[in-house]
Amino acid sequence: MENTLVKTLYSQAEHDADVEVEVTGWLKTIRSSKKISFLEINDGSYIKNVQVIMDNNALENSEEIRKAAIYSTIKVVGKVADTPKAKQPFEIQASSITILGSSNSDYPLQKKEHTPEFLREQAHLRPRTNTFYAVFRIRSLVSFAVHQFLQSNNFVYVNTPIITSSDTEGAGEMFKVTTLDLNNLPKNEAGEVDSSKDFFKQPTNLTVSGQLNAEAFALAFRNVYTFGPAFRAENSHTTRHASEFWMIEPEMAFANLQDIMNTSEDLLKYVVNYLLENAKEELEFLNGAVDPELKARLEATKDADFARVSYTEAIDILMNADQEFENPVEWGIDLQTEHERYLSEKVYQKPVFITDYPKDIKAFYMRENEDHKTVAAVDLLVPGIGELIGGSQREERLDKINEKIAEFHLDPKEYEWYAELRKYGETEHSGFGIGFERLLMYVTGIENIRDVIPFPRTPGNASF
Amino acid sequence: MENTLVKTLYSQAEHDADVEVEVTGWLKTIRSSKKISFLEINDGSYIKNVQVIMDNNALENSEEIRKAAIYSTIKVVGKVADTPKAKQPFEIQASSITILGSSNSDYPLQKKEHTPEFLREQAHLRPRTNTFYAVFRIRSLVSFAVHQFLQSNNFVYVNTPIITSSDTEGAGEMFKVTTLDLNNLPKNEAGEVDSSKDFFKQPTNLTVSGQLNAEAFALAFRNVYTFGPAFRAENSHTTRHASEFWMIEPEMAFANLQDIMNTSEDLLKYVVNYLLENAKEELEFLNGAVDPELKARLEATKDADFARVSYTEAIDILMNADQEFENPVEWGIDLQTEHERYLSEKVYQKPVFITDYPKDIKAFYMRENEDHKTVAAVDLLVPGIGELIGGSQREERLDKINEKIAEFHLDPKEYEWYAELRKYGETEHSGFGIGFERLLMYVTGIENIRDVIPFPRTPGNASF
């Protein structure tokens, strides 16, 4: 008999009560009366379980089934009866139940509340819980929605390198990559480690961003994007930082700040719409169990015209705010989360783009504005999160980029290829980056980044 | 005036000769007669250029345009005239041409043949050539086709960790990841490097495969897949090995070897069909410039029923072959590329699955067959490449997997969570891996893996 997915059963408005189906899945719960037992089976295809009714007297092996441990693997054959008045829309009346694989009575995720900390220690088992099932299915759907939106808008996906000899930001701690035997390091005449003996014949690190490489491809394909892992070796123990995370980095030639604001707003709304259509059950569950404002926030995002305001105006607003900030506000500061959330949650009550930041707090590659004080940078601040997207117009003028490379004390040799992109085909171009996990926190309501990453890496933790 | 993409112009069957359009792009070539100049402009949206006609006497700045260096950035306004009898289907008759950005006369990729070696040194510029434009656009399309096929078949995408404390294969050189100062390493009492002082408080490496982590998710979501970077620190200098590459790893619960053969055959055909529909121009170009058998091979793949034969039968065929092999054939050997290509190119002349390999040459996690000599493993061999896909049914029995962990001298503590997947919810499950770059070589005809990776990493090379 062909296997039927639980997802398929839920997608059918009515069921033929005369036809037998076969379902395979895992036993989530079982409760028995003398005559009848109720089994909840989840087959992985859908967040919801299917209820199976077992007549204890009719099935030869009913005793064995009743003793089965949670998460035993089970095959059920039976007819599907619609139950419009019950909690679940249908149930399977089992004609046979087979135990395919065993489980154990000390299964660590018995049905009860667990702390997030405990569940992180069970990262191999936690996707079996409703919350993490919902979160990680949404993670998959958001990935696909991002690809679909960008591909349908003629963006070319480019896999930028993970191992790199350069440091995009010119700042931030990086992970070293080496094959040298740490207990037996080759040394040069000065007694220092001889990197020419290393695998790549030079020191290498894990990438912090694919942007610079993506720029090279944007100057060939016009619109491109990266979507891959990035790394920060910062010893920070917040709920918002992981050592390994994923980034989406669209990069567009013949595009300015307005263009990337338009594109990123469209992208974000596309993702939200995609989830509202394709993750109804998951959002419903998270709205109940995790964040009661989740669905309202997503509906509002879908319908809002995102606000746009300059950094200078935003500073004015903050200086005249009717609330005290822990971090004092003056022109020139980098906005802190409290400022970002005040702007998006209190002032605009929707996502807001802040443009044209002071050049001293931004990266070397951002295009200097005519005022020589600010750069054509933009951040998108969203309620509940703060900064979700950061982008800029890139400095396309050869002389200016070389000045910036010198000013930021970057090694001109290492950035020669990057400068050459300006030497051969100087083009207005812009791009933005989305921290994928930040986006997931926004669309799931989950407040700790460790809980939107399948197997999170943070200082001191590389388990699994 | 709104910008029109060259891709859009090519998608229109007819053009209104009275309407002006604006195109921005890069100057690829220019040739002039006394009266008229012909400019080829590429705007990145399409592999083909648009031809622009400039009346030298009509445009004030025609002298400046005629002197423009290759890859100058240009804006053209003009009417589109259909030219059904010419080489190109239409041309733009320029009413104005503006130079938006400069280039330089020493542009390294002037129109002529370059060696692949030279172009690898110009990895930031080579996507501007037709060959690499075609290859990297196909890379993007194949990525998307893979996601689309798997998502539409209810597979959940899971981002498995890149930094890992374990070694999936129990073999193969790995890259170390550390934040320790190599010139000032902390030592323990025995005088060895003290990894407890490192970022993750233990030694960590770059992943060689996400499979084990994916298995955990398959036992929650039924069908999952990874698609991300993997690493091998092998000092191999072949045309088929890179130190950093991407892998696609579907993993399916309630699935055996037959199921994964069916799924991988469907996936491969879906990808090929997607390219035949969405990359016509690119395939046409590569068929002419790189591999004259490319299109025929793809058409054949689309239509073939892949052959299926056991390793034992394959060894028989090879032993009776009408050709000498460099590597002698006997039961128990690992098939070499010459054997694989003989089977797929000479014997079957289409893709062929080889199943049930000797257990001694395969990984610890593969399910042992009843004969106790072979495991339920499968490789797909394809013409021109050899092995493209490798998969297996996974050992789901707790006692057997623990035996294998001991037999392979793996640290049981490190694999405890992996064994627990069997302890709690023992389930028949199977999976396969596709080397993404191998797949790209198959669908582009490119013979060196360095030329299907945007910025390749190989021993001694981490440039860009």
Side-chain angles (χ1 to χ4, degrees), chain A residues 383-427:
Chain A
I385 299 279
E387 185 196 330
L388 177 61
I389 298 178
S392 74
Q393 189 166 338
R394 315 308 189 191
E395 183 56 77
E396 85 279 13
R397 295 162 293 190
L398 182 60
D399 52 344
K400 295 275 180 192
I401 199 73
N402 281 329
E403 276 170 31
K404 284 296 190 80
I405 287 167
E407 247 175 61
F408 278 71
H409 306 293
L410 303 173
D411 177 3
K413 189 94 198 94
E414 203 179 280
Y415 289 88
E416 196 179 353
W417 68 269
Y418 185 68
E420 272 197 0
L421 298 175
R422 282 76 182 156
K423 185 174 176 192
Y424 306 118
E426 174 194 341
T427 314

Side-chain angles (χ1 to χ4, degrees), chain B residues 151-178:
Chain B
Q151 296 261 341
S152 66
N153 283 286
N154 212 31
F155 282 71
V156 168
Y157 181 37
V158 48
N159 298 129
T160 49
I162 310 301
I163 299 173
T164 172
S165 53
S166 76
D167 170 354
T168 303
E169 305 280 343
E173 288 294 309
M174 297 179 85
F175 289 103
K176 298 179 186 79
V177 175
T178 181

Side-chain angles (χ1 to χ4, degrees), chain B residues 20-250:
Chain B
E20 287 212 315
V21 299
E22 178 194 297
V23 168
T24 52
W26 293 279
L27 180 66
K28 297 294 284 268
T29 65
I30 181 163
R31 59 195 166 83
S32 294
S33 67
K34 204 172 172 194
K35 284 182 142 176
I36 288 182
S37 301
F38 300 88
L39 291 73
E40 298 271 337
I41 308 282
N42 188 287
D43 80 343
S45 70
Y46 200 56
I47 190 172
K48 291 195 171 177
N49 305 324
V50 59
Q51 177 158 283
V52 175
I53 311 296
M54 174 172 75
D55 180 336
N56 297 341
N57 298 321
L59 265 59
E60 260 179 33
N61 61 345
S62 65
E63 266 308 297
E64 183 204 4
I65 305 292
R66 288 170 67 178
K67 283 182 198 150
I70 299 305
Y71 239 80
S72 295
T73 313
I74 275 178
K75 180 170 82 176
V76 175
V77 175
K79 291 177 179 166
V80 186
D82 287 322
T83 54
K85 288 179 185 159
K87 203 177 122 204
Q88 58 289 333
F90 58 87
E91 60 190 27
I92 298 178
Q93 290 159 341
S95 58
S96 86
I97 301 182
T98 317
I99 296 185
L100 300 174
S102 62
S103 183
N104 211 292
S105 58
D106 62 349
Y107 182 61
L109 308 186
Q110 304 284 348
K111 198 179 167 74
K112 60 172 172 141
E113 287 291 312
H114 299 287
T115 65
E117 291 75 18
F118 172 76
L119 289 169
R120 273 171 225 144
E121 289 165 12
Q122 307 289 329
H124 59 314
L125 302 177
R126 68 177 180 168
R128 304 174 179 191
T129 67
N130 286 331
T131 298
F132 288 98
Y133 185 101
V135 166
F136 292 127
R137 181 152 186 270
I138 286 175
R139 187 176 170 114
S140 170
L141 292 172
V142 174
S143 278
F144 187 63
V146 168
H147 281 295
Q148 193 162 65
F149 173 84
L150 291 169
Q151 296 261 341
S152 66
N153 283 286
N154 212 31
F155 282 71
V156 168
Y157 181 37
V158 48
N159 298 129
T160 49
I162 310 301
I163 299 173
T164 172
S165 53
S166 76
D167 170 354
T168 303
E169 305 280 343
E173 288 294 309
M174 297 179 85
F175 289 103
K176 298 179 186 79
V177 175
T178 181
T179 56
L180 295 175
D181 178 355
L182 300 190
N183 283 311
N184 191 15
L185 288 170
K187 300 282 171 78
N188 61 18
E189 284 173 11
E192 296 200 312
V193 174
D194 183 359
S195 293
S196 74
K197 298 284 194 327
D198 206 344
F199 190 88
F200 294 109
K201 301 199 196 309
Q202 62 181 312
T204 50
N205 302 303
L206 291 179
T207 185
V208 297
S209 159
Q211 178 202 314
L212 303 195
N213 298 93
E215 282 185 53
F217 271 59
L219 299 193
F221 290 100
R222 197 171 191 107
N223 294 334
V224 302
Y225 67 110
T226 76
F227 190 172
F231 306 84
R232 298 278 159 97
E234 273 154 36
N235 194 24
S236 73
H237 294 261
T238 79
T239 58
R240 295 152 46 93
H241 293 90
S243 312
E244 176 180 319
F245 53 99
W246 283 59
M247 294 260 285
I248 304 153
E249 296 177 291

